[in-house]
């Protein structure tokens, strides 16, 4: 995720006069989730792109798009060409529910659904069928609340956002009138934050229905001082009671998951993160990680920002103390670019990325996709 | 006529309009008229602050994340975020959402006696502040605090950069 690496770059380039940072990104355009994951009706969250752009325009920072690390170039080759490699590639997969019916038509991951209304090229043809009255969303984090809000927002509000045209058309024709946001635990354990809950409750032309039974005993619990600490550990326990919910679509929003990027990078499959000590990848010299692939896929921008600053500081410390071997000159982008060209990769290399480009070049299919409406706000 | 009297007059107009719209000018023109009146009064009144004159500057002290004190002069009406941006103060990641209440990176900490004097906190600010690192009982978001003469000489502290309590033992 470019956002995470750009925070690292921020600290980095300020501290050292001769450090060059090359940022490699699989997509042709930068910014990752900030571009494709933030809800279209939250444009202010995307303001952080201005900070990132400033960082990316630093004279010693270079952006290389359309490079799939692990496929087009290996981490081993990157380690050979650079003094240090920082992995900040986020979490692109979804946690699976592990229940029967997960693969049925009409069951989507929230990530795909969000990618669909946000213009992520791989989700363009998702075609969710909104010809049903009820949608069930599993999970109660901010992503679940975003999806619910987009499904039920008045069209006048959506028209003012940079939601993709095809999503706007589908939502205009949508028959969805009820969205059930389902979670395993109680109201005090929801992963969503207050702002998003408040937004949902105040959404024009909608009513928020909550089950009184879910709130039994809550006011007593809230009177205690250590509510937050107590409730983090609350676990869901099966009661044996079953309830059937009729719906036309299920959206699974139970969390993202990082994937291993390269066989030479250690990966802990249980937590789906790269095992590390304060950002230093374990058992490997010269390799660091930051963001979701380091801590797990939770947190808001400030969380990720602070985390990336931490990794950058650790890296700087290693440079100063000699833990990182800087005695040998390394070729950097020169070597990698040569490798990529040999392999026929049409990677996009630009230093000045102030205006996001409207054209996306798909290497495999050799087709040119334009989505000018999506990017016009940047 | 003071600003608040002009506002009362505005409110008065809107009440009258609701009952009869035939003889009165359209509501959309009224705000412009009263704005002009207020502006003319501003120029002659000496109680209104002129931002460009240095006597009307306010001193603000920032204690950065390394404990260093940085003193700057700013104009009343500016928010603390405005000051950091205008003075190009080097606080990493400060003001990521540019003052739109969509993050908590402009979180600053006041001394208790100053904190009590600050304006009321909105639900929206509180929602964001709840997510801030190193939150204290005297924390506010810098983008929501506007400087006044009474805040002259104020000292605000940036929270220390803390790695989250969930230390990197690999667990999320």
């Amino acid at each position: 995720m470019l956002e995470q690496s750009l925070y690292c770059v921020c600290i980095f380039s300020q501290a050292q006069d001769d450090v060059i940072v090359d940022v490699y990104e699989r997509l042709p355009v930068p910014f990752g989730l900030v571009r494709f994951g933030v809800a279209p009706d939250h444009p202010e969250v995307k303001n952080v792109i201005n900070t990132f752009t400033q960082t990316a325009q630093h004279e010693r920072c270079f952006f290389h798009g359309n490079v799939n690390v692990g496929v087009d170039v290996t981490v081993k080759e990157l380690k050979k060409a650079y003094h240090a490699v920082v992995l900040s590639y986020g979490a692109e997969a979804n946690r699976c529910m592990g229940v029967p019916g997960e693969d049925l038509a009409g069951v989507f991951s929230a990530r795909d659904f969000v990618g669909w209304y946000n213009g992520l090229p791989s989700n363009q043809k998702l075609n969710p069928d909104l010809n049903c009255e009820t949608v069930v969303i599993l999970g109660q984090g901010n992503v679940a609340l975003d999806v619910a809000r987009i499904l039920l927002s008045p069209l006048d509000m959506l028209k003012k956002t940079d939601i993709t045209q095809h999503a706007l058309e589908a939502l205009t024709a949508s028959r969805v009138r009820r969205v059930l946001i389902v979670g395993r635990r109680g109201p005090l354990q929801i992963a969503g934050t207050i702002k998003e809950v408040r937004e949902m409750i105040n959404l024009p032309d909608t009513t928020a229905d909550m089950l009184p039974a879910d709130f039994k005993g809550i006011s007593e619990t809230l009177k205690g001082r250590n509510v937050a600490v107590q409730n983090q550990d609350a676990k869901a326990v099966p009661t044996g009671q079953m309830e059937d919910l009729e719906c036309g679509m299920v959206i699974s929003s139970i969390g993202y998951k990082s994937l291993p990027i390269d066989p030479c990078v250690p990966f802990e499959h249980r937590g789906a993160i790269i095992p590390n000590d304060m950002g230093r990848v374990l058992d490997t010299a010269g390799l660091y990680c930051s963001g979701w692939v380091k801590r797990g896929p939770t947190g808001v921008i400030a969380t990720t920002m602070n985390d990336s600053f931490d990794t950058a500081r650790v890296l700087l410390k290693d440079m100063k103390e000699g833990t990182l071997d800087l005695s040998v000159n390394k070729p950097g982008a020169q070597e990698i670019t040569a490798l990529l060209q040999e392999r026929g990769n049409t990677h996009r290399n630009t230093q000045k990325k102030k205006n996001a480009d409207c054209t996306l070049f798909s290497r495999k299919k050799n087709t040119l996709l334009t989505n000018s409406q999506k990017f016009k706000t940047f | 006529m003071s600003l608040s009297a002009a506002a009362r007059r505005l409110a008065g107009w809107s009440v009258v309009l609701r009952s009869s719209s035939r003889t009165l000018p359209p509501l959309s023109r009224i705000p412009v008229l009263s704005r002009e009146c207020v502006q003319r009064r501003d120029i002659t009144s000496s109680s209104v602050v002129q931002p460009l004159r240095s006597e009307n500057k306010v001193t603000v002290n920032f204690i950065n994340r390394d404990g260093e004190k940085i003193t700057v002069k700013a104009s009343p009406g500016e928010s603390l975020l405005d000051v950091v941006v205008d003075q190009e103060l080097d606080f990493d990641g400060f003001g990521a959402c540019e003052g739109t209440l969509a993050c908590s990176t402009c979180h600053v900490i006041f001394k208790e006696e100053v904190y009590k004097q600050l304006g009321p906190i909105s639900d929206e600010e509180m929602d964001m502040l709840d997510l801030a690192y190193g939150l204290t009982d005297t924390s506010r978001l810098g983008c929501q605090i506007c400087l006044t003469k009474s805040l002259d000489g104020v000292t605000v502290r940036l929270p220390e950069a803390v790695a989250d309590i969930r230390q990197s033992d690999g667990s999320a």
Side-chain angles (χ1 to χ4, degrees), chain A residues 176-227:
Chain A
V176 174
R177 291 292 170 270
R178 207 163 70 118
V179 176
L180 304 174
I181 308 173
V182 178
R184 291 181 305 180
R185 298 188 294 172
L188 290 178
Q189 285 84 35
I190 66 163
T193 52
I194 303 174
K195 174 179 181 244
E196 276 73 12
V197 173
R198 199 189 291 279
E199 233 179 315
M200 207 58 228
I201 293 173
N202 292 335
L203 193 64
D205 303 337
T206 64
T207 40
D209 255 336
M210 298 188 221
L211 301 176
D214 287 344
F215 288 82
K216 214 166 138 188
I218 296 283
S219 26
E220 285 75 32
T221 313
L222 285 174
K223 288 194 182 110
R225 280 212 52 115
N226 290 323
V227 173

Side-chain angles (χ1 to χ4, degrees), chain A residues 32-46:
Chain A
L33 267 193
V34 172
R35 184 193 292 275
F36 294 116
V38 175
D41 56 351
H42 285 170
E44 61 283 352
V45 177
K46 297 184 194 174

Side-chain angles (χ1 to χ4, degrees), chain A residues 91-362:
Chain A
E92 64 181 278
N94 305 293
R95 283 180 61 199
C96 285
M97 292 185 277
V99 296
E102 206 160 352
D103 297 322
L104 289 173
V107 178
F108 299 99
S109 72
R111 188 170 184 125
D112 284 342
F113 197 80
V114 170
W116 170 71
Y117 62 62
N118 267 348
L120 192 58
S122 50
N123 295 133
Q124 207 178 19
K125 301 262 182 283
L126 196 73
N127 276 333
D129 184 1
L130 300 176
N131 206 19
C132 56
E133 205 186 77
T134 306
V135 171
V136 164
I137 301 178
L138 301 174
Q140 293 173 330
N142 281 344
V143 178
L145 294 172
D146 279 351
V147 171
R149 200 177 64 249
I150 296 296
L151 280 170
L152 294 176
S153 278
L155 290 169
D156 286 335
M157 279 171 63
L158 288 179
K159 279 182 187 150
K160 294 180 192 152
T161 71
D162 61 353
I163 192 169
T164 53
Q165 190 58 33
H166 56 250
L168 188 58
E169 284 165 7
L171 288 163
T172 307
S174 158
R175 273 187 51 223
V176 174
R177 291 292 170 270
R178 207 163 70 118
V179 176
L180 304 174
I181 308 173
V182 178
R184 291 181 305 180
R185 298 188 294 172
L188 290 178
Q189 285 84 35
I190 66 163
T193 52
I194 303 174
K195 174 179 181 244
E196 276 73 12
V197 173
R198 199 189 291 279
E199 233 179 315
M200 207 58 228
I201 293 173
N202 292 335
L203 193 64
D205 303 337
T206 64
T207 40
D209 255 336
M210 298 188 221
L211 301 176
D214 287 344
F215 288 82
K216 214 166 138 188
I218 296 283
S219 26
E220 285 75 32
T221 313
L222 285 174
K223 288 194 182 110
R225 280 212 52 115
N226 290 323
V227 173
V229 174
Q230 281 170 11
N231 282 284
Q232 254 168 30
D233 295 326
K235 281 191 166 9
V237 172
T239 61
Q241 290 173 336
M242 304 281 272
E243 190 184 334
D244 284 334
L245 295 171
E246 196 168 314
C247 65
M249 184 186 294
V250 173
I251 298 181
S252 162
S253 183
I254 59 171
Y256 299 148
K257 197 170 69 171
S258 294
L259 295 175
I261 191 173
D262 190 289
C264 84
V265 177
F267 194 80
E268 190 218 295
H269 287 273
R270 204 169 77 91
I273 54 164
I274 296 177
N276 68 91
D277 167 38
M278 305 281 286
R280 290 184 193 94
V281 177
L282 295 181
D283 306 325
T284 328
L287 203 54
Y288 299 79
C289 57
S290 79
W292 283 2
V293 81
K294 169 186 169 197
R295 301 173 60 247
T298 57
V300 293
I301 285 184
T303 328
T304 308
M305 177 186 90
N306 281 310
D307 178 82
S308 297
F309 286 169
D310 286 342
T311 297
R313 279 192 203 101
V314 154
L315 181 39
L316 283 172
K317 185 164 177 260
D318 287 353
M319 282 170 69
K320 281 203 181 90
E321 293 178 357
T323 318
L324 203 56
D325 182 14
L326 302 171
S327 55
V328 183
N329 271 340
K330 297 269 188 162
Q334 234 182 343
E335 182 168 299
I336 302 298
T337 308
L339 271 176
L340 290 170
Q341 279 171 354
E342 252 173 67
R343 293 165 189 174
N345 173 281
T346 50
H347 82 287
R348 300 180 72 245
N349 185 340
T350 122
Q351 187 179 4
K352 308 293 174 205
K353 273 236 62 91
K354 192 169 161 66
N355 291 313
D357 208 303
C358 296
T359 54
L360 304 179
F361 187 80
S362 165

Side-chain angles (χ1 to χ4, degrees), chain A residues 46-62:
Chain A
K46 297 184 194 174
N47 283 346
V48 73
I49 282 182
N50 296 333
T51 310
F52 293 147
T53 306
Q54 243 186 342
T55 307
Q57 286 179 320
H58 194 286
E59 56 189 5
R60 285 181 279 109
C61 178
F62 301 89

Side-chain angles (χ1 to χ4, degrees), chain B:
Chain B
M1 204 192 303
S2 70
L3 189 59
S4 53
R8 274 199 293 277
R9 199 182 58 145
L10 235 177
W13 275 121
S14 62
V15 167
V16 173
L17 272 169
R18 269 203 279 279
S19 54
S20 155
S21 56
R22 266 175 301 165
T23 51
L24 295 163
L27 188 60
S28 56
R29 289 224 221 116
I30 293 168
V32 175
L33 278 172
S34 62
R35 233 196 340 267
E36 281 172 10
C37 290
V38 169
Q39 275 174 358
R40 273 200 289 277
R41 276 163 180 79
D42 272 353
I43 291 164
T44 53
S45 156
S46 58
S47 63
V48 174
V49 169
Q50 302 295 324
L52 295 176
R53 290 167 56 187
S54 58
E55 293 87 61
N56 284 317
K57 288 284 190 186
V58 165
T59 304
V60 184
N61 304 297
F62 290 93
I63 312 274
N64 72 9
R65 294 184 182 116
D66 297 320
E68 294 161 343
K69 190 172 182 181
I70 298 147
T71 302
V72 295
K73 287 215 185 292
S75 305
E78 282 192 318
S79 73
L80 288 174
L81 174 60
D82 291 333
V83 176
V84 171
V85 170
D86 291 341
Q87 302 283 335
E88 294 180 349
L89 301 180
D90 191 16
F91 304 150
D92 289 322
F94 196 92
C97 78
E98 300 178 357
T100 53
L101 283 177
C103 75
S104 59
T105 58
C106 68
H107 166 208
V108 289
I109 300 165
F110 290 87
K111 292 207 178 81
E112 183 151 2
E113 51 284 4
V114 180
Y115 177 78
K116 289 191 175 132
Q117 291 172 32
L118 300 172
I121 183 169
S122 65
D123 282 338
E124 287 73 21
E125 181 184 344
M126 200 129 53
D127 288 350
M128 286 297 114
L129 207 48
D130 273 346
L131 305 173
Y133 276 83
L135 188 64
T136 69
D137 290 334
T138 55
S139 288
R140 290 294 299 264
L141 293 183
C143 64
Q144 300 301 300
I145 304 299
C146 287
L147 291 172
T148 58
K149 288 297 275 177
S150 61
L151 283 173
D152 190 13
V154 69
T155 300
V156 293
R157 185 166 62 83
L158 263 60
E160 280 156 27
V162 263
D164 199 280
I165 359 169
R166 293 162 291 180
Q167 271 302 358
S168 297
D169 54 354
S171 58

